[in-house]
Amino acid sequence: MNTVYQKSQDLPLDILKNLDAVLVLGGGVPSSVDEPPIYVQKRCDDAAKVVKIYTKESSSKDSVLPILTLSAGTAHLPQLMSADGAPIWESTSSAAYLQKRHGIENVYVETTSYDTIGNAYYTRTSHTDVNGWRRLLIITNEFHMKRTKAIFDWIFGIGDNGYELCYLESENTGLTEKGLEARRLHEAKGEQSVLNNLAPQHITLKEVWKFLNEKHDLYTALKLADRARQPHGDNRANKGESRSDLLKESYGAK
């Protein structure tokens, strides 16, 4: 396992038929509840293909492969809001797209995380550990895959837990070349931080919990309060750092 596949048809049937769940990472602000960013739509389309193959190959007509869509939102852009003033989570939009476009209803949502580390941690602690889902297929775009794999291998590799992960790389649709270049630079920096610092320093789930809730800008109480007090337009994910328009493009900016 831990292999990265480029196409759904590349997944060996013996792996595909034994999956417990498919995880689809969020990737930016949706245009509407049924319309996540185009590159996230591609992730959802690939998940639907996997479910279709699984259903066809399953020995039981009642066997249904669950999809878990991930992410509450992104720190890089304002949240999409519903008509009644409630946030529309990225995972909600992915789930709605899967239902409307592909007729898939066996979908669950992870609505706590605001970054890829949170994606992995809250998926494990709130969903997969609880449900006994151990054989997982993780789907994201090529530009996001290396950092995603580093993070999920780290979080799901903690402890003697029996997790078996494999990955499916979706095409980079919907981004300009310059936007894609900016995002790849951002991803490469994040990947090295995980491999060289975060993963070696946080080797238990409790240590990851302490990192998220005592140091991370997006989950620490006092940092969130400070962020909320900032003047409008100055709520930055990292103090002193402004996000380029090109990078924001890869998080759903129009």
Side-chain angles (χ1 to χ4, degrees):
M1 300 289 273
N2 286 76
T3 303
V4 178
Y5 298 96
Q6 276 70 47
K7 296 180 180 179
S8 55
Q9 55 265 38
D10 293 339
L11 277 164
L13 282 180
D14 62 327
I15 290 178
L16 192 150
K17 290 194 295 184
N18 287 295
L19 289 174
D20 293 322
V22 176
L23 313 183
V24 180
L25 274 72
V29 180
S31 299
S32 70
V33 66
D34 297 307
E35 192 176 4
I38 293 174
Y39 47 90
V40 177
Q41 292 180 28
K42 178 59 178 169
R43 303 176 192 180
C44 294
D45 294 339
D46 287 340
K49 290 178 182 177
V50 170
V51 168
K52 184 177 180 179
I53 298 171
Y54 178 93
T55 302
K56 179 182 178 181
E57 297 293 335
S58 176
S59 58
S60 171
K61 293 183 179 180
D62 298 325
S63 182
V64 181
L65 181 63
I67 296 176
L68 178 67
T69 58
L70 313 185
S71 188
T74 175
H76 307 291
L77 293 167
Q79 197 92 25
L80 177 67
M81 307 298 285
S82 66
D84 62 0
I88 297 174
W89 311 124
E90 290 180 10
S91 55
T92 302
S93 181
S94 294
Y97 176 87
L98 283 162
Q99 191 278 325
K100 185 174 182 179
R101 180 67 181 268
H102 297 286
I104 294 176
E105 297 186 350
N106 193 38
V107 185
Y108 301 88
V109 292
E110 180 278 306
T111 59
T112 306
S113 62
Y114 283 86
D115 74 329
T116 309
I117 297 174
N119 286 168
Y121 180 81
Y122 292 110
T123 290
R124 179 172 175 182
T125 57
S126 297
H127 295 276
T128 61
D129 275 7
V130 176
N131 285 308
W133 295 342
R134 293 296 183 268
R135 295 179 293 273
L136 308 174
L137 174 65
I138 298 150
I139 302 179
T140 192
N141 298 98
E142 180 274 337
F143 66 76
H144 188 219
M145 182 54 78
K146 288 183 178 180
R147 182 164 68 97
T148 293
K149 188 176 186 303
I151 289 170
F152 276 75
D153 284 355
W154 161 37
I155 298 297
F156 283 83
I158 292 174
D160 184 14
N161 50 65
Y163 277 107
E164 298 177 13
L165 310 182
C166 57
Y167 299 84
L168 179 57
E169 200 171 76
S170 297
E171 294 178 6
N172 296 329
T173 56
L175 294 177
T176 65
E177 285 300 319
K178 289 186 177 180
L180 191 57
E181 181 183 0
R183 182 58 184 266
R184 279 178 170 148
L185 289 172
H186 173 76
E187 291 293 320
K189 180 179 178 182
E191 179 194 6
Q192 291 307 307
S193 177
V194 171
L195 294 174
N196 298 327
N197 299 308
L198 295 176
Q201 293 173 15
H202 304 87
I203 60 174
T204 68
L205 287 179
K206 184 174 182 179
E207 288 174 352
V208 178
W209 182 92
K210 287 177 67 68
F211 163 70
L212 289 173
N213 289 281
E214 295 179 2
K215 295 182 179 180
H216 198 295
D217 288 343
L218 301 179
Y219 307 102
T220 301
L222 297 182
K223 291 185 178 183
L224 288 170
D226 182 62
R227 176 186 173 91
R229 294 188 186 102
Q230 297 301 315
H232 180 70
D234 195 37
N235 287 349
R236 295 171 183 169
N238 298 293
K239 192 175 293 183
E241 181 179 0
S242 62
R243 300 292 174 181
S244 73
D245 290 340
L246 288 173
L247 183 56
K248 287 180 179 179
E249 176 192 323
S250 69
Y251 286 97
K254 299 294 185 288

